Amino acid sequence: MNEKFSKIGFILAVAGSAVGLGNAWKFPTLVGQNGGSAFIVLYLLLTFLVSFVIFLGEIAIGKISEKDAVGAFESLAPKNKNLWKFAGFCIIGAILIFSFYSVIMGWILKYVVTSIYFLPNSMKESEEIFNSLLTKDLGTSIFYFTIAVLMSFYVVSKGVKSGIERLNIWMMPALFIFLIIMLIYSMNMNGFLDSAKFMLMPDFTKLNKDSILSALGLAFFTLSLGVGTIITYAASLPNKTNLLTSSLSIVFINILIGIMMGLIVFTFIFEYGGNPAQEGPGLVFISLITLFSKLGFIGNLFAAMFFISLLFAALTSAVSMIEPSALFLINNYKFSRKKALKFIFVFVYIMGILCILSYQSVTSNSLTFFGKSFFDCLDYLTSNLMMPITGIIVAIFVGFVMKKQSLYALFGLYMGRKLFLIWYFLLRFIAPVAVVIIMVNQLFFS
Ligand code: TRP
């Protein structure tokens, strides 16, 4: 028998997995580039028509089987069990994401520590500091990365209930409170109005064909689909949980935190004339931190609070990347939790170090493949190949292989027949086609 989450523990743990670095910079950047709320409308539409549909599919696989991802596919497939079992190995994707995600967590940790006493006051200085961390300071990078990895493993070593649930149950509300404090502070700045306009005023002319695909990709990434995480957490879902309202709350929290993050980040960008088009890590590690320095001492507190929030968001996602493989090793090889984690640790530690080395100038050449650093290769491999392929397999498996009655027995109570049939239709015919389209586009046209 698996350990079970409490009801609120489940919601917060899955929301914790979903809310992560994707919300901190992917979401605001894409919203900014694609016409503000026009993009949000599109994103919501695709979230409900595609990602949410697959999300419920993963919940069904996990809850009905109550097994780890590999065991779940194996036990639910009526025939060809050995073949379906392979779909469960998507959990490797979670470990690969963890390998580079924990490197970013290391950067965040370093920024939490240094921003208390020092903030760069020009973009140039800020850029130099960030670049030197990535390309020269091997010792510092490894040091903070190691702490980030140890923290994540420590939480998972305590198990689902006293580790993962306990972490999320205080860290998610704390994250939310920090964001509220920062948001209130931002509201008093002139940049807030511009930020709100930038994020919330729809400009449908800015939408293009790429917007649809980015929205779909984001909707997929941000719900942590396609790597066995949702399947694994759903295996510890307490009975009699209202699956519809809990899943909707998770999606709602995820969107809300993305919007709050965006409003805060862009208030500073507009207030101090930063560059809103700057993407990815540069947005926070280079631009934002310089802008905080303009506030004097309060800026240091603000910066520390901001990076702690990022750390919380990332840590609650990180633990959800380790648990799927841990549960698999525990169930299949009868490993103790400690032993399972030791195995996973060795693997991710090596992969993480390779990610770090692939940015260091001395070693970057030998760790570049097809013109991409090892770090970027892992990101590409997981986001563009492994996650969408598993998404398609989940849709087909739940839609065509699993029994419709058992799905109805699970969801019917909360959804009613009509909504269930709509979901079932979307799952079988719309979701897989949509994902194939994103994938083909990402692989061949971008
Ligand atoms: N949802 C996370 C974010 O927004 C990232 C993520 C993608 C993830 N796939 C995952 C997290 C799998 C946990 C497990 O940052």
Side-chain angles (χ1 to χ4, degrees):
M1 243 340 239
N2 295 319
E3 254 188 306
K4 293 277 197 287
F5 285 113
S6 71
K7 280 179 197 169
I8 183 73
F10 174 78
I11 294 177
L12 290 178
V14 180
S17 169
V19 171
L21 300 175
N23 304 58
W25 58 68
K26 245 196 177 104
F27 181 76
T29 319
L30 286 173
V31 171
Q33 287 168 349
N34 293 281
S37 66
F39 182 81
I40 299 183
V41 172
L42 197 61
Y43 167 77
L44 289 180
L45 204 68
L46 292 169
T47 293
F48 287 104
L49 291 182
V50 184
S51 343
F52 188 57
V53 167
I54 296 180
F55 178 88
L56 290 176
E58 290 202 13
I59 296 265
I61 296 177
K63 179 64 197 156
I64 294 176
S65 69
E66 299 206 329
K67 294 218 158 67
D68 62 280
V70 177
F73 279 100
E74 192 179 12
S75 69
L76 294 174
K79 47 183 189 223
N80 300 326
K81 285 182 183 291
N82 277 331
L83 210 63
W84 280 113
K85 181 170 128 172
F86 278 100
F89 286 106
C90 63
I91 54 177
I92 293 168
I95 287 299
L96 296 179
I97 299 177
F98 180 82
S99 310
F100 64 85
Y101 215 81
S102 54
V103 173
I104 306 179
M105 279 168 70
W107 302 341
I108 297 174
L109 257 179
K110 173 177 184 275
Y111 275 66
V112 169
V113 175
T114 54
S115 54
I116 295 170
Y117 59 88
F118 169 78
L119 292 176
N121 51 24
S122 74
M123 288 291 172
K124 195 161 167 289
E125 187 187 7
S126 182
E127 202 167 338
E128 270 164 21
I129 293 174
F130 187 56
N131 284 340
S132 109
L133 174 67
L134 263 55
T135 60
K136 289 195 217 103
D137 301 341
L138 183 60
T140 314
S141 295
I142 292 185
F143 174 74
Y144 284 105
F145 158 72
T146 307
I147 298 183
V149 177
L150 289 177
M151 270 175 14
S152 317
F153 274 81
Y154 175 74
V155 175
V156 182
S157 76
K158 300 277 169 202
V160 165
K161 192 133 181 107
S162 31
I164 298 177
E165 173 164 328
R166 252 174 73 194
L167 174 87
N168 279 288
I169 232 152
W170 72 267
M171 214 172 245
M172 288 304 286
L175 167 67
F176 195 70
I177 292 170
F178 281 169
L179 289 179
I180 298 260
I181 295 175
M182 291 191 278
L183 196 61
I184 291 176
Y185 188 90
S186 315
M187 280 175 178
N188 292 317
M189 296 168 73
N190 297 328
F192 184 77
L193 212 62
D194 293 327
S195 168
K197 266 196 208 139
F198 185 65
M199 288 282 297
L200 305 175
M201 290 268 282
D203 179 354
F204 287 96
T205 58
K206 281 204 193 140
L207 288 179
N208 51 44
K209 144 182 161 293
D210 288 343
S211 309
I212 301 185
L213 297 163
S214 327
L216 200 49
L218 181 71
F220 211 74
F221 181 84
T222 187
L223 279 184
S224 309
L225 297 175
V227 290
T229 287
I230 306 300
I231 297 178
T232 306
Y233 274 12
S236 295
L237 180 66
N239 293 329
K240 301 209 185 91
T241 307
N242 184 329
L243 293 176
L244 190 65
T245 50
S246 351
S247 306
L248 286 173
S249 324
I250 291 162
V251 173
F252 177 75
I253 296 173
N254 189 32
I255 292 165
L256 185 69
I257 293 196
I259 293 181
M260 288 167 76
M261 283 272 189
L263 285 173
I264 297 166
V265 169
F266 288 116
T267 298
F268 276 84
I269 299 279
F270 286 117
E271 178 88 10
Y272 296 116
N275 175 10
Q278 184 166 28
E279 284 174 62
L283 187 68
V284 295
F285 289 107
I286 299 173
S287 303
L288 203 59
I289 186 155
T290 317
L291 305 177
F292 287 148
S293 76
K294 315 231 187 261
L295 293 178
F297 178 65
I298 294 274
N300 290 72
L301 284 183
F302 215 93
M305 196 193 275
F306 182 80
F307 283 105
I308 290 175
S309 308
L310 283 191
L311 187 68
F312 284 8
L315 185 60
T316 53
S317 297
V319 295
S320 78
M321 299 171 194
I322 307 172
E323 180 62 20
S325 303
L327 190 66
F328 166 68
L329 293 176
I330 292 168
N331 283 353
N332 271 268
Y333 299 106
K334 306 287 168 259
F335 280 9
S336 68
R337 187 163 271 272
K338 283 233 159 62
K339 186 170 173 197
L341 290 177
K342 274 187 202 153
F343 264 83
I344 303 169
F345 178 85
V346 171
F347 182 75
V348 298
Y349 200 73
I350 295 171
M351 297 300 270
I353 297 278
L354 290 175
C355 286
I356 293 177
L357 290 175
S358 75
Y359 276 167
Q360 295 281 314
S361 45
V362 186
T363 38
S364 63
N365 274 345
S366 36
L367 284 165
T368 300
F369 309 95
F370 313 105
K372 277 188 183 359
S373 66
F374 184 71
F375 187 118
D376 297 341
C377 285
L378 286 190
D379 184 13
Y380 185 87
L381 181 72
T382 48
S383 295
N384 294 353
L385 289 169
M386 300 177 87
M387 295 172 67
I389 289 176
T390 313
I392 298 165
I393 295 175
V394 165
I396 294 173
F397 186 76
V398 180
F400 295 95
V401 178
M402 281 173 72
K403 288 200 197 73
K404 190 173 170 185
Q405 294 95 307
S406 55
L407 295 170
Y408 187 65
L410 182 67
F411 292 126
L413 194 58
Y414 311 109
M415 283 187 183
R417 184 156 185 82
K418 222 177 189 167
L419 209 56
F420 173 80
L421 288 176
I422 295 175
W423 168 72
Y424 197 58
F425 173 80
L426 290 171
L427 181 76
R428 301 177 89 186
F429 303 109
I430 307 297
V433 175
V435 179
V436 169
I437 296 173
I438 340 179
M439 227 181 102
V440 168
N441 183 73
Q442 271 169 349
L443 292 181
F444 302 108
F445 302 102
S446 62

